[in-house]
Amino acid sequence: MTTQPTHPLRAERSGPQTAFVVTDLPFKPQLVKAVFRDVTSLHVSRSAAWAAASVTRTVLTEIIEGARSAAAEEARKRLIPRDLISAIDRNVEVEVGSAWYLHSPTFHGLVGEVRNADGALVSFRERRGARTPSGVAGAHRFEAGVRRLLGSRGVRAVPAMVRDLDGIASVFLTALARDAAKIVREGGGKRFGMVHLEVPGEPAPAPLLKDPLLALSTRRGDGRTVGGDDVLAAVTMQLVGDLRQRAISEAAEMTRNTSAN
């Protein structure tokens, strides 16, 4: 899916392609650090907070663009939950934040039935469990950022759609924070190993930026701080395809810019 960036992005020409540099973020680093504090006692570096905020923005932007395309087919500018379903159906890469799906009426007809060993239907309340998963309870914190992001894309959304975007952003960032912390605690590749996808008969792909998969196996650090590279490595565990590549590229650019400033 191709998106056309608008404010708050600015385009900078670099060779045959255009690189877009994020100059503002709807999800502030302070909010990101609060999410990290929900799942880990590790210190979170400035670069890690900026990277995680950037990745979350990239993911939500892709979802909103898919929903906007669906709404445009019906000549609407106001997004509704049905547009979110269409966006996910058309692009498997944006099927993130799945822990939210059991908590939203939007998805109740899509997640299928689950039965226990006796063949009895398991209710949604039972499937959720007695404890509200981390990330769901704090979803309301993302409303302001979601509304800013919607505005930057030139669309509005009904309250139910905003709620779903809040929830998806919250549970995705929570999972990202959890994976980044796990990478720090368990020594990266010593625990997770490395995976390289290659096509028979074709040369191996060149490393992407500071290859996050390589970072998994060669992590250096004091073991007490989540760094920007740890977040980029966690992205490889949470996202796939072009969305993963773009999220990593934009996050790496963001951390370079903030470090320079």
Side-chain angles (χ1 to χ4, degrees):
M1 183 181 299
T2 301
T3 60
Q4 296 297 324
T6 60
H7 185 78
L9 305 184
R10 76 173 180 275
E12 294 185 353
R13 292 288 178 182
S14 176
Q17 297 180 337
T18 300
F20 293 97
V21 181
V22 182
T23 58
D24 191 18
L25 287 172
F27 309 112
K28 298 301 182 183
Q30 296 89 336
L31 173 59
V32 172
K33 288 190 175 184
V35 174
F36 271 81
R37 285 195 295 270
D38 288 343
V39 299
T40 181
S41 60
L42 295 171
H43 174 69
V44 181
S45 70
R46 183 168 177 259
S47 64
W50 280 102
S54 176
V55 170
T56 306
R57 183 204 62 83
T58 301
V59 169
L60 265 289
T61 296
E62 188 77 357
I63 293 173
I64 290 170
E65 284 299 310
R68 184 169 73 167
S69 295
E73 294 174 1
E74 300 179 9
R76 286 185 289 102
K77 286 190 175 181
R78 196 175 192 189
L79 305 184
I80 60 178
R82 185 170 72 243
D83 301 323
L84 177 58
I85 298 298
S86 295
I88 294 174
D89 283 346
R90 296 175 184 182
N91 184 1
V92 68
E93 293 179 10
V94 301
E95 192 173 335
V96 298
S98 56
W100 174 252
Y101 298 167
L102 290 177
H103 295 263
S104 168
T106 299
F107 299 96
H108 282 187
L110 300 176
V111 293
E113 295 182 349
V114 173
R115 297 182 179 274
N116 60 23
D118 298 324
L121 187 65
V122 179
S123 69
F124 279 105
R125 183 178 297 276
E126 292 174 308
R127 290 164 68 178
R128 292 173 186 169
R131 178 179 177 274
T132 301
S134 178
V136 172
H140 63 279
R141 295 181 292 188
F142 289 77
E143 180 175 351
V146 165
R147 292 190 181 279
R148 286 181 60 200
L149 189 54
L150 286 165
S152 75
R153 313 309 295 181
V155 293
R156 295 179 300 153
V158 300
M161 177 70 167
V162 173
R163 178 204 61 213
D164 282 329
L165 292 173
D166 285 351
I168 290 171
S170 183
V171 298
F172 168 75
L173 182 53
T174 298
L176 188 69
R178 186 178 292 115
D179 283 346
K182 184 182 295 186
I183 287 167
V184 175
R185 291 195 307 268
E186 301 188 15
K190 295 177 182 178
R191 170 66 174 83
F192 298 102
M194 293 182 65
V195 176
H196 287 289
L197 301 180
E198 299 183 9
V199 178
E202 295 186 7
L208 172 65
L209 302 173
K210 294 169 65 176
D211 187 350
L213 290 176
L214 181 60
L216 278 172
S217 66
T218 60
R219 183 185 187 277
R220 297 177 182 178
D222 57 15
R224 298 186 299 274
T225 301
V226 179
D229 284 346
D230 300 316
V231 172
L232 296 186
V235 172
T236 69
M237 303 165 67
Q238 290 291 324
L239 300 177
V240 298
D242 291 341
L243 179 58
R244 178 172 72 176
Q245 304 288 359
R246 185 162 62 257
I248 291 172
S249 296
E250 292 182 3
E253 185 68 24
M254 166 61 72
T255 55
R256 281 196 296 269
N257 288 344
T258 55
S259 296
N261 294 331

